[in-house]
Each structure stands twice: as structure tokens, then as C-alpha cells.
Amino acid sequence: MKKLIYVCLTLLCAAVCVGSVVPVLRAQEGGNTSIECPYDQGYENYIKYFYKGNMANRVVVIQSQQQQHPSCIEHGRYSLCDDRRRRVFTVTIRHLQLEDAGPYWCFIDGWTYNPITEVQLIVDRVPHISPPPHPKPDPVTSRPVPSTTHPSTTNTMETEYTTGMAE
Ligand SMILES: *[C@@H]1O[C@H](CO)[C@@H](O)[C@H](O)[C@H]1NC(C)=O
């Protein structure tokens, strides 16, 4: 009985500990990101799945096909490339949006239990994606009239002089 409790506690700890080391992937809004999913020998010809969401509410965002040729497949902003020699499939999400943030899972049909590769994607907002504020109107009248008659050396001196005045 004591032994059973010990085993249960060990399993519980393992589950909690493994759950807390989900790799975090940071990417910028509007950018691209790639997630690599390594797999074991023998799974080269199995269908590869890429899920979004937590375990209970996961949805397949892209999946490979049996005997897929060529090795890359595209679906919307997602692509999945299966490198069977290296035994890793790579999912790329293009033009990232803030809603893309969250947990993702690599999964292979035929695996009887996890090892499932999970990542937590964080999408950083890029402020300059929104339209820039109106530029300050230039005080056109205070600008020196560009001189076309002076040689360029004089022009440089003029510019320096004007800059000095402005401060
Ligand atoms: C994202 O990927 C697409 C297609 O591969 C490419 O055209 C684009 O330049 C990439 N964007 C960035 C921000 O890397």
C-alpha cells in the first residue's frame, strides 16, 4: 500500500513537472514562426498532425497526408514539411496574428501514448502595425531656401549653420 502511494505521488509529480516545462516560443505579430516536431524511427510514413488549443479543445490546424509528395503541404497560413530522413516535421505559421498565441501540439497518428511535442506560442504585438500618427507639420516658412547657385561646399556649411540656430 505504501509502495502504491509512492508510485502515485511519483506519477503525479512527473505529470506536474513535465507540464510546467512546455517550451515557450516567442514571435512577433506579422512575422513567421516555425515549430519543429522530432519523431522516432518507424513513424516516417504516418500522418503528422498539428493541433492548436489545450488538450480538451484541440483542433487540427494542418495535417500531412499518407505518402505525402512533395514533403511540404500548405493550408492557409500554415505549412507542414516532413523531413523523413531527419525524422522531424516542421510547421510554419506565416503572418502571425495575436489570436495565434496559445498551446500547440505535434502529434503522429499511431502513437499509443504521448510523447507529444507541445509548445506555447506567444505573439508579441508590434505597435507600428497600426497606422502611424500624422507627422508634425513642418515649419516650412522657417526653412532656409535651398540654394542652387552656391557650390555644394557652401551648402554643407549653410546646413550646419541652420542646425546650430535651431538649438
Ligand atoms: C514569411 O514567409 C513568407 C513566405 O515564406 C515570406 O514571403 C515572408 O517574407 C516571411 N515574412 C517574414 C517577416 O519573415
Side-chain angles (χ1 to χ4, degrees):
M1 187 63 190
K2 231 178 174 179
K3 197 173 178 183
L4 185 66
I5 290 171
Y6 178 74
V7 169
C8 285
L9 282 176
T10 310
L11 286 176
L12 185 69
C13 175
V16 170
C17 297
V18 168
S20 64
V21 290
V22 172
V24 170
L25 193 66
R26 277 195 105 99
Q28 277 203 333
E29 187 184 8
N32 303 336
T33 193
S34 290
I35 296 127
E36 287 209 329
C37 311
Y39 56 85
D40 291 338
Q41 194 163 16
Y43 291 99
E44 289 85 345
N45 294 320
Y46 282 77
I47 298 177
K48 318 296 190 305
Y49 294 91
F50 193 67
Y51 290 106
K52 184 183 183 192
N54 56 40
M55 213 41 173
N57 304 304
R58 62 192 192 275
V59 288
V60 178
V61 290
I62 191 166
Q63 73 179 72
S64 71
Q65 278 149 18
Q66 199 102 43
Q67 307 294 326
Q68 180 177 301
H69 289 289
S71 56
C72 288
I73 195 166
E74 248 187 80
H75 181 73
R77 291 184 296 115
Y78 297 91
S79 67
L80 188 156
C81 293
D82 191 3
D83 186 341
R84 289 177 196 158
R85 270 196 320 164
R86 278 178 60 220
R87 291 198 304 275
V88 56
F89 71 96
T90 305
V91 175
T92 302
I93 312 173
R94 283 182 296 111
H95 201 76
L96 284 165
Q97 295 164 7
L98 295 177
E99 309 86 77
D100 290 330
Y104 287 88
W105 308 76
C106 308
F107 184 76
I108 296 183
D109 196 15
W111 273 348
T112 47
Y113 74 104
N114 322 339
I116 299 175
T117 306
E118 185 191 0
V119 294
Q120 185 74 32
L121 178 64
I122 295 175
V123 180
D124 289 320
R125 184 188 289 276
V126 176
H128 65 248
I129 275 186
S130 54
H134 289 296
K136 272 186 198 165
D138 275 326
V140 179
T141 46
S142 67
R143 261 190 193 163
V145 179
S147 168
T148 47
T149 52
H150 293 341
S152 56
T153 45
T154 323
N155 244 332
T156 311
M157 282 173 67
E158 254 184 33
T159 311
E160 278 168 13
Y161 176 70
T162 317
T163 311
M165 285 289 282
E167 279 164 1

